Amino acid sequence: MSRIAAHADLLAQLESRLGRAGLLTDEADLAPYATDWRRLFPGRPLAVARPADTAAVSAVLAACHAAGVGIVPQGGHTGLAGGATPDASGGQVVLSLGRMNAIRRVDPLGLTLEAEAGCILKVAQDAAEAQGRLLPVSLAAEGSAMLGGIIATNAGGINVLRYGMTRGLVLGLEVVLADGTVVDGLRALRKDNAGYDWKQLFIGSEGTLGIVTAAILRLVPRARHTATALLAVPDPAAALRLLEAAQDELGDTIQAFELIARDSLALVAEHAGLASPIGESDWTVLMEAGSSLPGLREAVETLLGEALERGDATDGVIAESGQQAGSLWALREHITEAEARAGKSVKHDVSVPIPAIPDFLAAAGKALATQAPGTRPNIFGHMGDGNIHYNVLIGPEHDPEAINRIVHDAVARFGGSISAEHGIGQYRVDELVRHRRPAEMALAHRIKDALDPQGLLNPGKVLRARV
Ligand SMILES: Cc1cc2nc3c(=O)[nH]c(=O)nc-3n(C[C@H](O)[C@H](O)[C@H](O)COP(=O)(O)OP(=O)(O)OC[C@H]3O[C@@H](n4cnc5c(N)ncnc54)[C@H](O)[C@@H]3O)c2cc1C
């Protein structure tokens, strides 16, 4: 019996609730939803449900719950851990939130934005900007990533240093539970200690505990002045001293502090045709500060001058215009794409305590050079958050799992995390078990069992599926 025939009742029920536009079952229509953008996690959906409102999401979940069929939520499909991709069984329904994309309200005084889960991050950012406000979560995939995915992965990005992770920006949340129950917590409150803050369970749970259907996000006032600088630094320890000086001199106006290795800029030059405007160096820092008060640029100039005098920087440039700032950021934003064009790589999204970054980089580099010669690290990331994307370009002779272990073991030695912001998805499920304490894993399973006893929400993601 074909998979369609085996689930004929469920599919008929879904089609009658969602209409023809709301349910895809033809192989050609399913293809874009079947695998991630890097084609690392190929899957095969039974069908794709595209509900247009929360009531329809609830109906899909209730029907799948009754039929015992797994659900894989999908937003912009830009995730880097294979979390939004169904397995290859042909028995899971992909739930695409893309049609639920309304921005319901922007409140410039209350500093909030309410939108549906399928709203693209860039669209929400623009809506906030139109009211003179800033939605601070920003990342290179913002033109495709959706708010539901951003919340479900507790996304980080370039402004975490100043504004924190997505978790800190979610004021209110509406979710649908595995059995179809709608829980409406859409409150635009900054302070709300009335009982458990249950929304935190869903933020960062990668679709394994419930479906995010709408949210109220915190906005911040837009800084009138921004200063963006690119600096050549001799080594990560110098970059760390520069970060400390920036925090002393610029206070909380410092909003991004990115570290980029020489090899990463070489990849961008080779595969994206973008060249750095400053002299070559083993390491480069891209930093940005923002403020509405005057004198920001002068403060950044002083910081840069002092760093050059101390030898913590050997060259540097401060953007003269928004366009120049955009070109500096383009260098950083093209690294992931350039890496994909360069060949096969093993990605690591790790964090260590900030002061440990230089020692971690040295230890991981040494371990790779001795245990996996011929690999080429592509190191960049949000140094101000202790978050390094320690990716490794490999040849056919290298075993990706062995590379994983080498890097993650170095992370563990420094008390770090094997996933700083990209999540676990299906990519790091086994590594999570290796790196979290048994009591932490047992607690995670108890939460999962309480909210999704049949294990139907994004099966096999974050936690191993229980057989
Ligand atoms: C070039 C590039 C740069 C990136 N940079 C960053 C970065 O700086 N920081 C960062 O944190 N991430 C980054 N990412 C990763 C990715 O963009 C984020 O994880 C983003 O939050 C995913 O959003 P999405 O809508 O594409 O989610 P998807 O990829 O569709 O889904 C991600 C996970 O969330 C679940 N999910 C999606 N929607 C819902 C929902 N409505 N309810 C419940 N679960 C849901 C999915 O099942 C899956 O587990 C980057 C990705 C790319 C391609």
Side-chain angles (χ1 to χ4, degrees):
M1 188 164 40
S2 81
R3 67 190 212 289
I4 301 273
H7 297 285
D9 285 353
L10 172 68
L11 294 175
Q13 212 180 328
L14 293 180
E15 188 174 309
S16 91
R17 178 61 181 81
L18 300 173
R20 296 213 90 181
L23 189 74
L24 310 177
T25 49
D26 288 349
E27 292 288 344
D29 294 336
L30 299 182
Y33 301 86
T35 185
D36 64 304
W37 65 277
R38 289 189 297 156
R39 302 192 181 284
L40 290 181
F41 309 101
R44 187 165 174 244
L46 166 64
V48 176
R50 300 172 65 240
D53 55 30
T54 301
V57 173
S58 166
V60 172
L61 263 69
C64 288
H65 190 252
V69 165
I71 293 269
V72 181
Q74 200 172 97
H77 218 179
T78 68
L80 295 171
T85 304
D87 71 11
S89 68
Q92 297 179 337
V93 170
V94 168
L95 180 73
S96 168
L97 280 297
R99 285 173 79 199
M100 294 177 58
N101 56 12
I103 293 180
R104 295 178 182 161
R105 184 164 190 240
V106 180
D107 176 355
L109 177 60
L111 289 166
T112 58
L113 176 144
E114 179 174 342
E116 293 177 344
C119 177
I120 287 179
L121 174 58
K122 178 77 174 68
V123 174
Q125 289 170 344
D126 290 349
E129 189 175 345
Q131 304 271 354
R133 300 294 179 248
L134 177 76
L135 174 56
V137 51
S138 174
L139 38 88
E142 63 200 21
S144 306
M146 296 175 186
L147 295 183
I150 292 286
I151 292 167
T153 57
N154 184 27
I158 57 173
N159 291 333
V160 171
L161 182 58
R162 185 170 186 179
Y163 301 108
M165 304 279 282
T166 296
R167 184 181 299 286
L169 300 172
V170 180
L171 298 179
L173 204 63
E174 181 187 74
V175 295
V176 181
L177 303 182
D179 63 0
T181 305
V182 178
V183 187
D184 178 352
L186 288 172
R187 282 180 288 271
L189 301 176
R190 313 245 143 190
K191 296 181 121 179
D192 183 7
N193 273 351
Y196 295 142
D197 188 4
W198 56 261
K199 65 178 179 297
Q200 300 300 340
L201 278 177
F202 298 90
I203 303 167
S205 69
E206 302 181 54
T208 59
L209 299 180
I211 307 298
V212 174
T213 43
I216 298 181
L217 300 175
R218 184 166 72 84
L219 304 179
V220 298
R222 260 195 102 69
R224 284 201 201 103
H225 317 288
T226 305
T228 309
L230 193 72
L231 297 98
V233 298
D235 52 43
L240 212 52
R241 287 193 295 275
L242 185 63
L243 173 63
E244 197 177 6
Q247 278 164 336
D248 286 344
E249 301 296 322
L250 304 172
D252 66 0
T253 65
I254 175 95
Q255 54 201 30
F257 195 97
E258 304 282 307
L259 182 70
I260 309 171
R262 180 195 286 268
D263 256 6
S264 308
L265 285 183
L267 285 176
V268 172
E270 192 182 338
H271 296 284
L274 300 176
S276 164
I278 57 172
E280 275 203 23
S281 164
D282 278 351
W283 298 91
T284 297
V285 164
L286 174 60
M287 55 171 279
E288 189 165 272
S291 173
S292 289
L293 298 174
L296 183 71
R297 188 184 167 89
E298 292 72 16
V300 172
E301 277 170 3
T302 305
L303 179 81
L304 187 57
E306 289 172 357
L308 286 165
E309 256 174 45
R310 282 197 311 271
D312 285 343
T314 53
D315 195 4
V317 63
I318 304 176
E320 296 285 345
S321 64
Q323 197 184 0
Q324 271 187 17
S327 317
L328 299 184
W329 274 109
L331 293 168
R332 165 68 179 84
E333 283 161 2
H334 279 82
I335 298 174
T336 305
E337 196 183 308
E339 178 189 294
R341 289 199 192 145
K344 202 168 173 203
S345 66
V346 186
K347 286 189 185 292
H348 305 96
D349 162 41
V350 302
S351 63
V352 293
I354 295 170
I357 290 175
D359 288 344
F360 159 71
L361 290 174
K366 198 169 159 204
L368 274 173
T370 49
Q371 296 172 46
T375 52
R376 186 179 165 198
N378 174 30
I379 306 165
F380 59 100
H382 317 296
M383 187 183 202
D385 313 323
N387 176 193
I388 301 293
H389 299 311
Y390 199 109
N391 299 346
V392 184
L393 288 154
I394 57 169
E397 71 277 26
H398 298 115
D399 169 16
E401 275 183 33
I403 306 290
N404 250 197
R405 290 196 165 206
I406 293 169
V407 175
H408 287 167
D409 286 352
V411 167
R413 258 180 279 142
F414 291 92
S417 167
I418 60 155
S419 177
E421 58 177 13
H422 294 164
I424 297 299
Q426 54 180 296
Y427 184 39
R428 300 186 180 93
V429 170
D430 292 335
E431 283 295 275
L432 185 69
V433 177
R434 227 164 63 82
H435 288 274
R436 283 283 138 113
R437 297 188 173 94
E440 290 182 282
M441 295 307 295
L443 175 60
H445 279 287
R446 282 167 74 173
I447 295 170
K448 173 77 173 167
D449 289 347
L451 286 171
D452 180 20
Q454 287 195 66
L456 297 178
L457 288 178
N458 224 356
K461 313 292 169 44
V462 183
L463 301 174
R464 280 179 188 148
R466 284 205 165 147
V467 216

